[in-house]
Amino acid sequence: MEVEAGKGVSRTDSSAELDDDGRIKRTGNVLTATTHVITVVVGAGVLALAWAMAQLGWIAGIAVLIIFACISIYTYNLIADCYRYPDPVNGKRNYTYMQAIQAYLGGKMHVLCGLIQYGKLAGITVGYTITTSTSLVAIKKAICFHEKGHEAYCKFSNNPYMMGFGMLQILMSQIPKFHQLTWLSTIAAVTSFGYTLIGSGLSLAVVISGKGEATRLFGNKVGPELSEADKVWRVFSALGNIALACSYASVVYDIMDTLKSYPPEYKQMRKANVLGIITMTILFLLCGGLGYAAFGDHTPGNILTGFGFYEPFWLVSLGNVCILIHMIGAYQVLAQPLFRIIEMGANITWPRSDFINKEYSTKLGSLTFSFNLFRLIWRTIYVMVATIIAMAMPFFNEFLALLGAVGFWPLIIFFPIQMHIAQKHIKPSSLKWCMLQLLSFACFLVSFVVIVGSIRGISQNIKKYKLFRYKQ
C-alpha cells in the first residue's frame, strides 16, 4: 500500500471523505477526548496524594488542589485555542505542541519546547515501567503477607516484571497511530476509576470502623520525628505532587488531532478539559482526603503499593491489577507522540526511503494488519532502552519528579500564556498582560521549589541502590 508522505492517507483510498488537510476524516468527539485526558492525568500518582495531603493539612491541601485545577483548566483552554493558526476555526492545523509554539512565538522557542516536552515523555515511560513492576510486586507481597503474616520477609526483585512489561509494550508500540488508541485509552480510564475507588473505599472502611488516625488542619506537626527543615522539604514535594498530577500538555494536540472538524476542535477540547480536570479533581480530593483521614501522620507514599492496607488481600491485589492495566494504556498514550515526532522527522528527511515509509500488509489468521520496518525496529529499540534504564535505576522516579518539575512551568503555564498574548495581541503593560505575567511568575516559583526538592531527593537516594539488584 503506497502512503502519501507526511499525510498518512492511502492513495488507493481516494473515495474516503477527507478533512481540510487532506487526511482521512477524524471522528473523535468530546467524550473520546475526555477519556484520553482522564487516562493521562488520573495515573497511579493519585494514590500518593494522601501523602501530599498529610504534609499540607486539610486547609492548604484542599485549597492547593482546587487552585491548581482552576489554573489547569484556564491554561489548557489557552493551548486548545492555539490548535489552529492564526484563526482557531479556519486556520492551519498545528499537529504538535512544537508546531504551535513555532507558529505563534517563532524563533527558537519551539526547539526549547521540544526538548522539554519529549524529554519528559521519555522519562515518563521509564517511570511507568517502574510503577508497573511496583504494582506487580505489591500483588505478590499481598499474597505473601496474607499467607505468612505481616512481619514476614516478603521482598522480591522488580526486574522480571519490568522485562515482562517491556515485552508487552514492544508489541503494543506497533499500533501505528494515536487515534487507534481510543479503545485502549477507554479501558485504561475505567481501570483508573477502579484503583482510585478501591483505595478510597479501603480508607473509608478504616475511618468508619473508628480506626482512623488523627489529622490536622495544617498537616504533619513538627516534633521529635519531623524537623522544621524536613517539614519544609515535604511541603515542597507535596506541592510538586499536586501541581504535576494534572500534567498532560505534551499530548493535548495529539488528542485534538483525533477530533472531528465540527464543532471547532478548540470548543470540543475546552469541554474535554473542563470535564477531565473536574473528574480528576473529584477523584484527587476523594482519594487524598480519605487516605489522610485513615492514616494521619503515618500516611504511606502510596496507599496500595505502600501497604497502608494488608487485608482484604484480594482487594489490594485487584487495585494493583487495575494500576497495571492503566499503565499499559497510559504508556502508549504518552509514548505515541514521541514515536510520531521521530517518524515525522525521518519521513521529512528521507521521503523516498522504502525503509522509512513503505507499509507491508500481512495476515495473522483472520486478522490483516500492516507494519513498517523503521517503526518496528526503532520503537522496539526505544522500549528496550527504557526498560533497561528502569531496571538499572529504580530510583528513577526521583528523576521523573525532576523532569516533571522542569516541564510544569514552561509547558503548562509559560508557553500557553505567551501564545495567548500573541494570538490576542495583548498590549504589554496592560492590566491583563500584567495579570498573566503575575500568574506565570507565581507558578514559576512553585516549579522552582519543586526542582530544588527533587534534586535534594536524588542526592539522598542515589547511593542507596545497586544496579539491577533492587528488591522491594
Side-chain angles (χ1 to χ4, degrees), residues 82-94:
C82 297
Y83 174 63
R84 289 179 180 265
Y85 174 85
D87 177 68
V89 177
N90 299 313
K92 182 181 177 182
R93 297 173 188 266
N94 292 304

Side-chain angles (χ1 to χ4, degrees), residues 118-119 121-122 125 334-343 378 382:
Y118 295 107
L121 287 178
T125 58
L334 290 171
Q336 286 285 339
L338 177 61
F339 296 156
R340 180 186 185 190
I341 195 69
I342 296 297
E343 287 156 18
W378 111 262
Y382 173 83

Side-chain angles (χ1 to χ4, degrees), residues 415-428:
F415 286 135
I417 286 177
Q418 296 307 313
M419 285 196 296
H420 178 67
I421 290 173
Q423 183 186 53
K424 300 300 182 182
H425 306 291
I426 298 173
K427 294 181 179 180

Side-chain angles (χ1 to χ4, degrees), residues 29-71:
N29 53 39
V30 173
L31 180 60
T32 61
T34 303
T35 299
H36 286 311
V37 171
I38 292 173
T39 298
V40 175
V41 298
V42 186
V46 66
L47 299 171
L49 290 179
W51 179 88
M53 187 75 77
Q55 313 315 312
L56 297 171
W58 290 111
I59 295 177
I62 293 173
V64 169
L65 275 169
I66 294 174
I67 289 171
F68 276 110
C70 293
I71 292 173

